[in-house]
Amino acid sequence: MLRGILFLIPGLALLAADTPDPWKNVRDLKTGHEVRIITAGAARPIMAQFAELTDDYLVIIVKHEQVALPRDKVSRIDSRPQKGSVSTQTKVSGVNETYSRSQPNASRGPSTSTSTGVAIGDRSEFETIYHRVPPPVRPKK
Protein backbone atom coordinates (compact mmCIF):
# COMPACT_ATOMS: atom_id res chain seq x y z
CA MET A 1 0.00 0.00 0.00
CA LEU A 2 2.77 2.39 0.98
CA ARG A 3 4.65 1.60 -2.25
CA GLY A 4 1.57 2.46 -4.32
CA ILE A 5 1.26 5.83 -2.65
CA LEU A 6 4.97 6.56 -3.13
CA PHE A 7 4.64 5.87 -6.87
CA LEU A 8 1.43 7.89 -7.11
CA ILE A 9 2.83 11.11 -5.59
CA PRO A 10 5.47 11.80 -8.31
CA GLY A 11 2.86 11.03 -10.99
CA LEU A 12 0.48 13.59 -9.54
CA ALA A 13 3.29 16.13 -9.31
CA LEU A 14 4.02 15.68 -13.01
CA LEU A 15 0.36 16.14 -13.90
CA ALA A 16 0.18 19.31 -11.83
CA ALA A 17 3.34 20.67 -13.50
CA ASP A 18 1.89 20.08 -16.99
CA THR A 19 -1.23 22.15 -16.28
CA PRO A 20 -0.81 25.32 -18.34
CA ASP A 21 -1.09 28.64 -16.52
CA PRO A 22 -3.88 30.61 -18.25
CA TRP A 23 -2.34 33.88 -16.99
CA LYS A 24 1.12 33.17 -18.50
CA ASN A 25 0.49 35.28 -21.63
CA VAL A 26 -0.74 38.17 -19.49
CA ARG A 27 2.29 37.88 -17.22
CA ASP A 28 4.55 38.11 -20.31
CA LEU A 29 3.14 41.53 -21.36
CA LYS A 30 5.30 44.59 -20.92
CA THR A 31 4.15 47.67 -19.04
CA GLY A 32 2.29 50.04 -21.37
CA HIS A 33 1.08 47.32 -23.75
CA GLU A 34 -2.40 48.10 -25.12
CA VAL A 35 -5.10 45.73 -23.85
CA ARG A 36 -8.88 45.34 -24.06
CA ILE A 37 -10.45 43.79 -20.95
CA ILE A 38 -13.89 42.26 -20.69
CA THR A 39 -15.16 41.93 -17.15
CA ALA A 40 -18.07 39.95 -15.79
CA GLY A 41 -21.31 41.92 -16.04
CA ALA A 42 -19.84 44.89 -17.93
CA ALA A 43 -21.67 46.33 -20.93
CA ARG A 44 -18.47 47.52 -22.67
CA PRO A 45 -14.86 46.39 -22.69
CA ILE A 46 -12.22 48.46 -20.94
CA MET A 47 -9.52 49.91 -23.20
CA ALA A 48 -6.34 50.34 -21.17
CA GLN A 49 -2.61 49.82 -20.92
CA PHE A 50 -1.15 46.91 -19.00
CA ALA A 51 0.70 47.80 -15.77
CA GLU A 52 1.23 44.56 -13.80
CA LEU A 53 -0.30 41.28 -12.71
CA THR A 54 -0.34 40.35 -9.02
CA ASP A 55 -1.65 37.23 -7.30
CA ASP A 56 -5.08 38.83 -6.77
CA TYR A 57 -5.34 41.76 -9.18
CA LEU A 58 -4.77 42.84 -12.75
CA VAL A 59 -3.42 46.39 -12.58
CA ILE A 60 -4.10 48.55 -15.64
CA ILE A 61 -3.72 52.20 -16.63
CA VAL A 62 -6.89 53.95 -17.78
CA LYS A 63 -6.59 57.65 -18.70
CA HIS A 64 -3.34 58.14 -16.71
CA GLU A 65 -4.85 56.49 -13.63
CA GLN A 66 -4.01 53.04 -12.24
CA VAL A 67 -6.95 50.71 -11.67
CA ALA A 68 -6.79 47.30 -9.98
CA LEU A 69 -9.30 44.71 -11.23
CA PRO A 70 -9.85 41.53 -9.21
CA ARG A 71 -8.67 38.55 -11.24
CA ASP A 72 -11.88 36.62 -10.65
CA LYS A 73 -13.92 39.42 -12.33
CA VAL A 74 -11.87 39.32 -15.57
CA SER A 75 -13.54 37.22 -18.28
CA ARG A 76 -11.23 37.91 -21.21
CA ILE A 77 -8.13 39.91 -22.07
CA ASP A 78 -7.25 40.87 -25.63
CA SER A 79 -3.88 42.33 -26.53
CA ARG A 80 -2.92 44.35 -29.57
CA PRO A 81 0.45 43.32 -30.98
CA GLN A 82 3.12 46.00 -30.98
CA LYS A 83 2.20 49.08 -32.96
CA GLY A 84 2.72 49.10 -36.70
CA SER A 85 6.18 49.43 -38.08
CA VAL A 86 7.75 52.83 -38.59
CA SER A 87 10.05 53.26 -41.55
CA THR A 88 11.99 56.22 -42.88
CA GLN A 89 12.13 56.87 -46.59
CA THR A 90 14.73 59.15 -48.20
CA LYS A 91 14.44 60.07 -51.87
CA VAL A 92 17.20 61.78 -53.84
CA SER A 93 16.26 63.15 -57.24
CA GLY A 94 18.82 63.16 -60.05
CA VAL A 95 21.67 65.47 -60.84
CA ASN A 96 20.82 68.61 -62.80
CA GLU A 97 23.70 70.03 -64.86
CA THR A 98 21.84 72.75 -66.74
CA TYR A 99 23.05 76.31 -66.50
CA SER A 100 21.69 79.66 -67.42
CA ARG A 101 22.92 81.16 -70.70
CA SER A 102 22.15 84.64 -69.49
CA GLN A 103 24.63 84.25 -66.64
CA PRO A 104 27.80 82.72 -68.10
CA ASN A 105 29.64 82.97 -64.79
CA ALA A 106 26.92 81.06 -62.88
CA SER A 107 27.87 77.91 -61.09
CA ARG A 108 27.67 74.88 -63.32
CA GLY A 109 27.95 72.33 -60.51
CA PRO A 110 25.53 69.50 -59.99
CA SER A 111 22.38 70.08 -57.96
CA THR A 112 20.19 67.52 -56.21
CA SER A 113 16.91 67.45 -54.40
CA THR A 114 16.43 65.33 -51.26
CA SER A 115 13.20 64.56 -49.45
CA THR A 116 12.67 62.44 -46.35
CA GLY A 117 9.39 60.99 -45.07
CA VAL A 118 8.17 58.68 -42.35
CA ALA A 119 5.69 55.85 -43.03
CA ILE A 120 3.71 54.39 -40.15
CA GLY A 121 2.11 50.98 -40.70
CA ASP A 122 -1.45 50.11 -39.73
CA ARG A 123 -2.24 48.94 -36.23
CA SER A 124 -2.99 45.26 -35.88
CA GLU A 125 -6.19 43.72 -34.59
CA PHE A 126 -6.56 42.49 -31.01
CA GLU A 127 -5.66 38.89 -30.15
CA THR A 128 -7.13 37.02 -27.18
CA ILE A 129 -4.41 36.15 -24.65
CA TYR A 130 -6.60 35.12 -21.70
CA HIS A 131 -10.06 33.61 -21.59
CA ARG A 132 -11.57 32.38 -18.35
CA VAL A 133 -12.82 28.84 -18.57
CA PRO A 134 -16.33 28.63 -17.12
CA PRO A 135 -16.80 26.24 -14.23
CA PRO A 136 -18.26 22.85 -15.16
CA VAL A 137 -22.03 22.65 -15.10
CA ARG A 138 -23.34 20.21 -12.55
CA PRO A 139 -26.29 18.12 -13.67
CA LYS A 140 -29.53 18.72 -11.79
CA LYS A 141 -30.81 15.89 -9.67
Side-chain angles (χ1 to χ4, degrees):
M1 175 83 171
L2 185 59
R3 280 187 183 176
I5 293 175
L6 289 177
F7 286 114
L8 184 62
I9 291 174
L12 290 175
L14 287 174
L15 286 175
D18 289 340
T19 305
D21 180 16
W23 291 93
K24 181 192 177 305
N25 292 338
V26 178
R27 203 172 274 112
D28 292 343
L29 290 177
K30 294 180 181 176
T31 301
H33 205 94
E34 188 176 358
V35 291
R36 176 174 58 191
I37 302 161
I38 299 169
T39 57
R44 293 184 178 174
I46 301 169
M47 301 298 291
Q49 293 178 338
F50 176 77
E52 69 176 309
L53 182 67
T54 66
D55 291 336
D56 299 322
Y57 294 98
L58 169 66
V59 181
I60 56 174
I61 302 167
V62 180
K63 296 183 181 179
H64 306 291
E65 199 173 298
Q66 281 194 354
V67 178
L69 299 173
R71 278 178 145 192
D72 59 344
K73 299 290 183 190
V74 176
S75 297
R76 190 175 87 197
I77 300 173
D78 298 333
S79 168
R80 188 185 305 265
Q82 291 296 332
K83 292 184 180 179
S85 62
V86 176
S87 62
T88 306
Q89 300 168 346
T90 302
K91 187 182 203 180
V92 178
S93 59
V95 177
N96 183 6
E97 296 206 18
T98 61
Y99 61 94
S100 171
R101 290 186 185 176
S102 63
Q103 297 177 356
N105 295 333
S107 172
R108 295 184 186 175
S111 64
T112 60
S113 173
T114 306
S115 64
T116 303
V118 177
I120 301 174
D122 292 335
R123 291 170 43 164
S124 302
E125 293 297 318
F126 282 98
E127 297 173 357
T128 301
I129 59 171
Y130 169 78
H131 188 56
R132 181 175 33 176
V133 178
V137 178
R138 295 183 183 178
K140 294 183 180 180
K141 293 183 180 181

